[in-house]
Amino acid sequence: MTDRQAAGPRFGVNYVPSRNWWHCWLDWDTGSILADLRAVAGLGLDHIRVQLLWPVFQPDPSVVNRAALDRLGELLDLADRPDVGLDVSVTVLDGWLSGFVFAPAWLKGRNMITDDGVVTAELRLIDALAAAIGGHPRFLGFDLGNELAVINGDVAPNDGDRWAARMLAHCEQLAPGRLHVNGHDHQPWFEGRTFSPTGAATAGGASVFHTYPFWTGALERYGVDGTGTRHLGEYMAELAAAHASDPHRPRWLQEFGASPVERPADSIPDWTESLVRNTLSSADVWGCTWWGSHDIDRRLTGFHEYEYDLGLLSVDNDVKPTGERLRALVAQWRAAPPRPARRRTALVLDDPHRAGLEFADRFFTLIDEGIRPAIVTRDRATDADHLAARGIDQLVGC
């Protein structure tokens, strides 16, 4: 635990290398990586999340790429420099990232969650990573993969939950005390896709959610400045709390961001401040991690237009307006961490697999009425101890 972690919520960014995106694992440039990390640190942030392209790190089920491991180790060494000082969350089984599917060729026709041979290979990769960086002072922990529900939608949630629990327990055994998580987008939370909401709220060291008004449909439903667009992170944080057995389980807003494709560019800083402030009105938020650090270089032509202009920094490491806003807010919140709202009223969720925007409408209506609600699942609505532990004394929707 760092001093920053002890002082209040963590603030970080999903690192997107300014030179060659994550193709940089194959075309490594220490100088540009260091310049990027210095620029990130200059924003006052304390951690980054990095992405390991699975076929690069494990080109064969029995082979882990030693050169890639060495480059990852070098990245953590750069993050540990006195002029950088960033903790690093390492996302491992990346088969999906920035709109691209990056499954290893040897995975063709096999399932990464239910195929025992594939799981053995995955454990082999985690073993090698832990041996290489598990004791590094800047290693924050492993993230199993980026938004795995996107490419594993045909997996039953029970199977997904068992797999995640096994993998995360293995991570904890190899690197005890680190923050090991599963990087969920909204789908497990809203509809129980691949992983159940309960599994997402109990496995690993924190409940992770990715909050994008554009990709969740909230932007279309509520508008650029609607309550549901500005409070979406708060809703997802409270949804995660509803499914947790520990009333103080950490929750991590691991990805959030906005593109000029979806809204006027000059509105993004205000939306960012609103979303973060509202998310931090929930208790036990471990941290907020923007996507991404840098824009994607336009010489790379294969990305969806949405992906290019998500950075806090330009490809030349110039600070953009949203980066300036976050830098000021982080300095403010480090000096005086925000106080969570008291949530005495809870909205009852009948079906945990139908917790999407239709249910969220009711949450946002309460906010418009001046109430900051919690959420409680139907099976816990009569559990007096559970309600008391969360400070809930009124239920809506019984």
Side-chain angles (χ1 to χ4, degrees):
M1 178 181 288
T2 69
D3 291 341
R4 285 171 174 166
Q5 184 175 358
R10 304 287 298 268
F11 299 99
V13 70
N14 287 270
Y15 179 38
V16 176
S18 64
R19 183 178 182 273
N20 287 339
W21 187 73
W22 283 114
H23 301 305
C24 69
W25 295 122
L26 297 171
D27 187 6
W28 191 251
D29 182 346
T30 299
S32 71
I33 300 289
L34 178 57
D36 289 350
L37 297 185
R38 284 172 169 160
V40 169
L43 298 175
L45 304 178
D46 59 58
H47 69 275
I48 58 174
R49 176 173 175 244
V50 304
Q51 309 287 337
L52 311 187
L53 298 190
W54 191 1
V56 173
F57 276 77
Q58 193 173 31
D60 180 271
S62 298
V63 175
V64 177
N65 185 336
R66 172 51 58 182
L69 291 177
D70 290 345
R71 287 170 175 173
L72 176 61
E74 184 178 355
L75 189 152
L76 268 73
D77 288 344
L78 296 175
D80 195 36
R81 287 174 57 109
D83 56 344
V84 178
L86 295 167
D87 292 337
V88 183
S89 175
V90 177
T91 310
V92 180
L93 302 170
D94 279 332
W96 163 259
L97 183 63
S98 295
F100 288 140
V101 175
F102 282 97
W106 55 265
L107 191 63
K108 185 176 181 180
R110 305 173 72 180
N111 188 285
M112 67 174 291
I113 289 174
T114 60
D115 186 311
D116 289 341
V118 175
V119 173
T120 297
E122 294 163 352
L123 294 170
R124 180 178 294 118
L125 174 57
I126 292 172
D127 288 347
L129 289 166
I133 63 165
H136 198 286
R138 286 295 169 182
F139 174 55
L140 184 61
F142 288 125
D143 182 344
L144 297 184
N146 186 61
E147 301 182 350
L148 294 175
V150 174
I151 57 171
N152 291 284
D154 58 344
V155 172
N158 286 343
D159 290 333
D161 289 350
R162 280 192 294 269
W163 175 86
R166 178 183 178 185
M167 302 299 286
L168 289 164
H170 190 70
C171 292
E172 177 63 22
Q173 181 180 15
L174 294 174
R178 309 287 179 151
L179 184 61
H180 305 301
V181 299
N182 192 0
H184 296 301
D185 69 345
H186 62 281
Q187 294 178 87
W189 298 112
F190 283 13
E191 60 193 77
R193 181 184 173 104
T194 308
F195 308 96
S196 74
T198 299
T202 53
S207 299
V208 170
F209 51 97
H210 297 177
T211 298
Y212 291 97
F214 185 79
W215 298 113
T216 59
L219 185 70
E220 181 178 7
R221 191 177 186 92
Y222 306 114
V224 169
D225 292 315
T227 301
T229 306
R230 292 180 291 108
H231 291 262
L232 185 62
E234 177 183 352
Y235 170 69
M236 295 187 72
E238 290 302 314
L239 190 60
H243 293 286
S245 55
D246 176 0
H248 299 294
R249 175 175 164 87
R251 285 163 281 151
W252 182 2
L253 173 57
Q254 192 188 55
E255 288 189 24
F256 67 109
S259 164
V261 167
E262 68 186 83
R263 58 167 57 241
D266 61 5
S267 75
I268 294 176
D270 285 347
W271 170 80
T272 301
E273 178 172 351
S274 178
L275 184 98
V276 176
R277 284 188 184 277
N278 291 327
T279 302
L280 293 177
S281 75
S282 288
D284 303 303
V285 174
W286 177 87
C288 302
T289 310
W290 176 270
W291 187 286
S293 63
H294 292 75
D295 290 342
I296 295 176
D297 195 325
R298 288 281 176 176
R299 69 185 180 81
L300 301 175
T301 61
F303 291 88
H304 187 293
E305 181 61 28
Y306 180 92
E307 303 288 342
Y308 283 97
D309 199 17
L310 291 167
L312 300 176
L313 299 153
S314 74
V315 294
D316 297 315
N317 280 318
D318 296 322
V319 182
K320 297 168 60 180
T322 304
E324 294 282 9
R325 178 71 64 87
L326 273 177
R327 177 161 57 188
L329 289 170
V330 167
Q332 173 187 329
W333 288 327
R334 293 221 188 283
R339 291 177 175 270
R342 185 178 181 188
R343 297 176 184 268
R344 299 178 58 181
T345 300
L347 187 62
V348 178
L349 174 62
D350 286 316
D351 184 350
H353 294 273
R354 298 184 65 182
L357 298 182
E358 185 174 346
F359 178 76
D361 286 345
R362 299 162 64 191
F363 185 91
F364 300 136
T365 296
L366 289 172
I367 288 178
D368 286 336
E369 294 173 356
I371 299 169
R372 302 307 277 267
I375 301 172
V376 63
T377 55
R378 172 64 65 182
D379 62 322
R380 288 173 170 161
T382 56
D383 184 337
D385 291 341
H386 175 81
L387 299 179
R390 297 179 61 195
I392 297 168
D393 57 23
Q394 181 178 357
L395 300 177
V396 177
C398 289

